[in-house]
Amino acid sequence: MPLTYVVVLALIQGLTEFLPVSSSAHLIFPSQLLGWPDQGLAFDVAVHVGTLLAVIIYYMSDLIQIATYTIESLVKRTMGPVSRIGWFIIVATIPAGVAGILLEGYVSTVARSLEIIGFTTIGFGILLGIASLVNRRLCWRTLTRIQGQRPDSLRQMTWQQAIIIGFAQAIALIPGTSRSGITLTAGLFLGMRPEAAARFSFLLAIPVIMASALLEGYKLYSHPELGGADPVDMLIGAAIAFVTAISVIHFFMKYISKSGMAVFVIYRVLLGTALLYIAYA
């Protein structure tokens, strides 16, 4: 691919993977507006690996602690506040995994129409705005702060919240929904602090992105003709996606602690409107 293609596509993946704006909606534009050819499965795997490494490295210390305590809870058959977070991630990943297996054919064909992506981009964007407004009036303000605890701690999270967010994540199989957007929306509706909802959404992305990359890698192994990318392009794409994604995670966590979701809601409505205009023009 020309270097311009590589840079733009990697930037789109890195910017939109963790923001509540839908990566699938953005990836429509290079092909629909610019007439760019499909980048190939190998490049998709590369940029997914880049974003996966970004979230793993950003939360490395947390992941080590969570994994250690979760394994320990399995061995000792005890449950502490940190190990519970690990089990929350496992349980919340199951619905998306099952839905992905059952609906993979439908999602990759019928549900990828421009009209569906346009409507879901707008609809779930508005839902995110409603959740943000509702969240300000819910009980998270009254939660007791434990001295020395991180302000975005997940220690107050419940099994019910984890399960509901897990089922919400399964909805993100519909293109235009946004995985980070729908899990954040669910967390806000459930009264979670915005920082906690975002942090859980990012941690929950790790097994999902990993599974997606492995599935795409298996398809590539089974059908090498679907590759279509130069190794240098893949390396550049992965590096750009990594740097972009880790920056997005950092600044989004800073932003969400001070501001609401209005800017993302407005952006999604405008984006969805543009997609529908393209679809019906």
Side-chain angles (χ1 to χ4, degrees):
M1 292 185 292
L3 183 60
T4 304
Y5 288 25
V6 174
V7 173
V8 171
L9 292 172
L11 282 174
I12 290 175
Q13 178 66 29
L15 285 170
T16 60
E17 182 67 48
F18 298 110
L19 289 179
V21 294
S22 174
S23 59
S24 58
H26 287 80
L27 289 171
I28 287 291
F29 283 103
S31 59
Q32 292 290 332
L33 295 184
L34 304 176
W36 290 5
D38 184 83
Q39 64 270 24
L41 195 56
F43 188 80
D44 285 344
V45 173
V47 293
H48 271 91
V49 170
T51 53
L52 176 62
L53 290 176
V55 70
I56 289 176
I57 290 177
Y58 189 84
Y59 286 109
M60 179 63 75
S61 60
D62 289 350
L63 290 171
I64 292 173
Q65 186 181 42
I66 291 171
T68 301
Y69 280 93
T70 303
I71 294 172
E72 184 180 274
S73 72
L74 189 62
V75 174
K76 296 183 178 180
R77 298 186 179 182
T78 58
M79 187 73 71
V82 178
S83 62
R84 193 163 59 243
I85 297 173
W87 289 109
F88 286 163
I89 294 172
I90 293 171
V91 169
T93 301
I94 295 174
V98 173
I101 294 172
L102 296 177
L103 303 175
E104 197 250 340
Y106 175 79
V107 169
S108 61
T109 54
V110 180
R112 293 199 68 84
S113 71
L114 204 58
E115 294 88 346
I116 290 178
I117 294 177
F119 283 120
T120 53
T121 299
I122 295 172
F124 286 107
I126 294 173
L127 192 64
L128 174 63
I130 296 172
S132 182
L133 293 175
V134 169
N135 183 264
R136 296 179 184 180
R137 296 170 174 80
L138 291 178
C139 62
W140 65 266
R141 289 181 176 179
T142 65
L143 290 175
T144 303
R145 288 191 178 185
I146 302 173
Q147 187 174 2
Q149 185 173 303
R150 291 176 56 170
D152 61 335
S153 174
L154 297 176
R155 291 171 184 259
Q156 295 96 351
M157 192 174 180
T158 66
W159 285 101
Q160 182 184 31
Q161 289 173 327
I163 293 171
I164 292 174
I165 292 174
F167 277 99
Q169 181 174 239
I171 299 174
L173 287 170
I174 304 172
T177 302
S178 171
R179 192 211 61 81
S180 60
I182 194 63
T183 51
L184 182 58
T185 297
L188 293 175
F189 268 128
L190 291 169
M192 294 177 65
R193 299 169 66 86
E195 300 95 327
R199 182 176 171 227
F200 188 66
S201 173
F202 292 152
L203 291 173
L204 201 55
I206 295 173
V208 171
I209 298 176
M210 187 178 296
S212 176
L214 288 173
L215 178 60
E216 289 177 341
Y218 174 74
K219 289 180 180 178
L220 184 61
Y221 175 78
S222 303
H223 304 280
E225 69 277 5
L226 298 176
D230 182 80
V232 176
D233 291 343
M234 294 169 60
L235 186 60
I236 294 173
I240 293 174
F242 168 80
V243 173
T244 307
I246 204 167
S247 301
V248 165
I249 294 171
H250 178 74
F251 287 110
F252 184 70
M253 291 302 294
K254 297 289 184 184
Y255 176 86
I256 200 174
S257 65
K258 301 176 182 178
S259 308
M261 294 290 107
V263 65
F264 299 108
V265 176
I266 294 171
Y267 179 77
R268 287 185 63 132
V269 170
L270 294 175
L271 175 64
T273 302
L275 291 173
L276 292 177
Y277 175 80
I278 294 172
Y280 293 108

